[in-house]
Amino acid sequence: MKACVFDGRNVRVDPAWPDPRPAAGEATVRVDLAGICQTDLEIVKGYMGFTGVLGHEFVGTALDGRHEGRRVVGGINCVCGDCDMCRAALPTHCRRRTVLGIQGRDGALAERLVLPEANLVPVPDGVSDREAVFAEPLAAAIQVGRQVSLEPGYKIIVLGDGRLGQLVAQVMQAWRLAPTVIGKSPGKLAILSGLGITTLAAAEARPEKNADVVVECTGAADGLAMAMACVRPRGTIVLKSTVADTAGLNLAPLVVDEITVVGSRCGPMDEAVAMLAARQVRVEPLITAEYPLDRAAEAMEAAAEPASIKVLVRP
Ligand SMILES: [Zn+2]
Ligand SMILES: [Zn+2]
């Protein structure tokens, strides 16, 4: 099959990549549309040590198994069900997990993929492919509310106006919260204000250590420092960026101000699909471009452009 592959050095489209074979309990999915996110861009910089088919955001059609013939999205963590984390009902932290397009498992920038049947979530007819492909990052946004209590009246700051910051802000708005998004791109902030979300240009932000919760979605090494400047004493910082390099960052403010820092990753796919079906978030304005799979390497470059939000790839 055709697949967009990273070999540890280069990204290329391979016209004859081996077909993925489903193991027991797994299903084959024909990928109808895939999305590129920050994690993919970090992988091709070599951060995760992953090689193989890239991509973990997709909507497709199940070709076998109990969802055969149905449109599906899928949770990306493939778990053993048997380790201490799985037994403690923390399957996304499975010690032996593989992760679609990220760790030990070929991903979604391909004609087909395989995932455990249990990971697949059917997509209702009212949700288009271009909406459903956002289910995975939307679930990651929803996860913030599962980890941190967000009370009405809280002062909430979302740092970053990119792919994830846009979704986090929309999810919070749907939850009747009033986040302020601080970002650098006038165009991206304009999308948010168009949806009635309060925004602030980073250059004009005067951090006052007064936010109850700061959600850090900048994808930049200095995001945590900015979050520390914004959060109130005893407040909470939710870290969404997987930026490895924070060398030289002074963590003393976390101690002095008794800040809670919460790392946050994948969330509930079924809730994400439900939010899309209920029209609680608007994802169409976030689509920058759509490329055919043949041009997936070009799509990766386009996704890395500062002005782009979500770049899609259609096999
Ligand atoms: Zn992603
Ligand atoms: Zn496990």
Side-chain angles (χ1 to χ4, degrees):
M1 65 169 184
K2 200 182 294 175
C4 178
V5 180
F6 179 60
D7 62 10
R9 285 169 179 269
N10 298 303
V11 178
R12 68 172 202 284
V13 175
D14 188 327
W17 189 257
D19 272 344
R21 290 169 169 268
E26 293 185 338
T28 310
V29 176
R30 183 190 75 217
V31 180
D32 296 322
L33 193 60
I36 295 173
C37 90
Q38 186 66 32
T39 307
D40 305 309
L41 302 178
E42 288 175 22
I43 285 172
V44 301
K45 290 184 205 158
Y47 289 159
M48 319 258 183
F50 174 82
T51 59
V53 179
L54 294 164
H56 56 274
E57 301 177 0
F58 73 94
V59 56
T61 304
L63 296 178
D64 47 36
R66 72 182 134 97
H67 297 297
E68 185 175 346
R70 296 191 71 176
R71 272 189 326 138
V72 292
V73 294
I76 67 176
N77 297 287
C78 307
V79 307
C80 75
D82 198 39
C83 70
D84 58 336
M85 288 293 104
C86 285
R87 285 176 188 278
L90 295 170
T92 59
H93 295 282
C94 171
R95 308 278 186 187
R96 292 192 282 265
R97 70 182 180 272
T98 61
V99 187
L100 187 72
I102 296 174
Q103 188 179 323
R105 177 178 289 261
D106 276 347
L109 293 181
E111 291 178 294
R112 285 176 291 283
L113 59 79
V114 299
L115 273 179
E117 265 189 357
N119 288 34
L120 300 181
V121 177
V123 177
D125 288 340
V127 178
S128 72
D129 283 351
R130 278 164 70 93
E131 292 167 329
V133 76
F134 282 86
E136 199 277 334
L138 182 58
I142 293 169
Q143 180 70 1
V144 174
R146 285 200 156 185
Q147 292 177 278
V148 176
S149 83
L150 300 168
E151 308 292 336
Y154 265 17
K155 182 171 174 58
I156 300 172
I157 291 178
V158 177
L159 291 181
D161 52 17
R163 304 167 185 84
L164 196 54
Q166 295 270 344
L167 292 173
V168 168
Q170 284 201 40
V171 165
M172 292 194 170
Q173 186 191 41
W175 289 340
R176 308 264 181 264
L177 301 164
T180 298
V181 180
I182 299 179
K184 290 180 177 163
S185 158
K188 294 175 188 178
L189 292 176
I191 294 172
L192 289 157
S193 16
L195 297 169
I197 293 168
T198 306
T199 65
L200 185 58
E204 281 153 32
R206 300 283 173 269
E208 292 179 69
K209 286 195 177 183
N210 62 356
D212 297 290
V213 176
V214 179
V215 187
E216 194 284 305
C217 308
T218 64
D222 60 357
L224 179 54
M226 178 68 173
M228 289 193 294
C230 292
V231 73
R232 69 164 164 83
R234 287 276 174 99
T236 301
I237 295 172
V238 182
L239 279 183
K240 278 289 186 186
S241 298
T242 50
V243 175
D245 181 18
T246 49
L249 185 63
N250 175 19
L251 296 179
L254 298 180
V255 178
V256 175
D257 293 331
E258 300 188 321
I259 305 304
T260 301
V261 179
V262 179
S264 177
R265 183 167 44 95
C266 298
M269 295 292 287
D270 49 353
E271 279 184 41
V273 171
M275 277 192 109
L276 289 166
R279 307 257 156 244
Q280 289 181 297
V281 292
R282 297 249 341 264
V283 294
E284 189 66 36
L286 308 184
I287 300 175
T288 303
E290 190 179 304
Y291 288 77
L293 181 56
D294 287 308
R295 291 168 62 200
E298 212 179 311
M300 291 284 294
E301 284 170 24
E305 291 291 323
S308 74
I309 305 180
K310 181 60 72 182
V311 172
L312 303 178
V313 174
R314 192 177 287 275

